[in-house]
């Protein structure tokens, strides 16, 4: 069974038919052509597939595409020109927290969401934000260091972002 849905993907409207059991991750990667979110475990355990749903980080492999109907999805591609994402990316490189890079998109999305809510995170807040992200290459010292460095780079900067704004639908089409 298929259902017609609408999504705001990186600020652009996407609409089409999705299968009942299709995940948001598969929709993004296989049909919309956004492969920045990676498919690692496909079961919510590695964090490689993290995207923002209405500005909040989610494992896209655990979200059904039908359940994302009407919502705003942001992938790493959508943060290409985002100042916060750029600072995070630079901090990850500088801290040596990127090797093969497979985990990086998910970690950058999670860090982006953390610093959006909490520009000066404590060690505990950093730890909590990174729970659920696996990295086979760098160990788990450089990644929190990268998050600290990103927070320091962004400290005091004013940012404007439209990430997480949802589809503005007329009342009549809401159901
Ligand atoms: Fe989604 Fe691993 S692919 S958590
Ligand atoms: Fe390779 Fe993290 S850099 S999995």
């Amino acid at each position: 069974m298929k259902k017609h849905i609408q999504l705001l993907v990186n600020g652009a409207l996407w609409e089409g038919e999705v299968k009942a059991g299709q995940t948001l991750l598969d929709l993004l990667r296989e049909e919309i052509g956004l492969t920045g979110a990676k498919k690692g475990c496909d079961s919510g355990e590695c964090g490689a597939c993290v995207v923002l749903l209405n500005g909040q980080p989610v494992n896209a492999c655990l979200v059904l595409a039908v359940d994302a109907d009407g919502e705003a999805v942001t992938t790493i591609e959508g943060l290409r020109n985002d100042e916060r994402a750029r600072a995070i990316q630079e901090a990850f490189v500088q801290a040596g927290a990127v090797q093969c890079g497979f985990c990086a998109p998910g970690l950058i999305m999670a860090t982006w969401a953390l610093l959006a809510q909490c520009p000066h995170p404590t060690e505990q807040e950093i730890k909590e934000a990174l729970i659920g992200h696996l990295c086979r290459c760098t160990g788990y010292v450089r990644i929190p260091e990268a998050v600290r460095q990103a927070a320091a780079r962004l400290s005091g900067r004013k940012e404007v972002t439209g990430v997480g704004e949802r589809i503005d639908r007329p009342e009549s089409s809401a159901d």
Side-chain angles (χ1 to χ4, degrees), residues 25 38-50 59-62 132:
L25 181 62
K38 303 297 180 214
K39 190 186 258 196
C41 64
D42 207 21
S43 59
E45 288 174 13
C46 74
C49 64
V50 166
N59 289 322
C61 70
L62 295 184

Side-chain angles (χ1 to χ4, degrees), residues 2-13:
K2 289 193 168 186
K3 190 184 171 202
H4 187 89
I5 67 164
Q6 290 185 322
L7 298 174
L8 209 51
V9 182
N10 297 334
L13 184 66

Side-chain angles (χ1 to χ4, degrees), residues 18-30:
V18 298
K19 293 179 218 120
Q22 186 171 19
T23 65
L24 178 59
L25 181 62
D26 285 344
L27 177 68
L28 289 169
R29 290 180 56 84
E30 293 165 15

Side-chain angles (χ1 to χ4, degrees), residues 30-100:
E30 293 165 15
E31 294 189 32
I32 304 181
L34 295 171
T35 55
K38 303 297 180 214
K39 190 186 258 196
C41 64
D42 207 21
S43 59
E45 288 174 13
C46 74
C49 64
V50 166
V51 299
L52 304 177
L53 194 60
N54 303 324
Q56 298 301 314
V58 296
N59 289 322
C61 70
L62 295 184
V63 176
L64 289 177
V66 289
D67 290 338
D69 186 19
E71 314 291 5
V73 179
T74 307
T75 68
I76 191 92
E77 291 92 339
L79 298 182
R80 195 170 284 135
N81 298 315
D82 181 271
E83 192 185 338
R84 186 188 303 144
R86 194 172 313 121
I88 294 168
Q89 203 169 342
E90 287 168 3
F92 268 73
V93 171
Q94 191 165 21
V98 180
Q99 284 184 28
C100 81

Side-chain angles (χ1 to χ4, degrees), residues 97-104 107 134-138 143:
V98 180
Q99 284 184 28
C100 81
F102 191 80
C103 64
L107 282 165
L134 301 182
C135 174
R136 290 171 302 180
C137 308
T138 68
I143 294 168

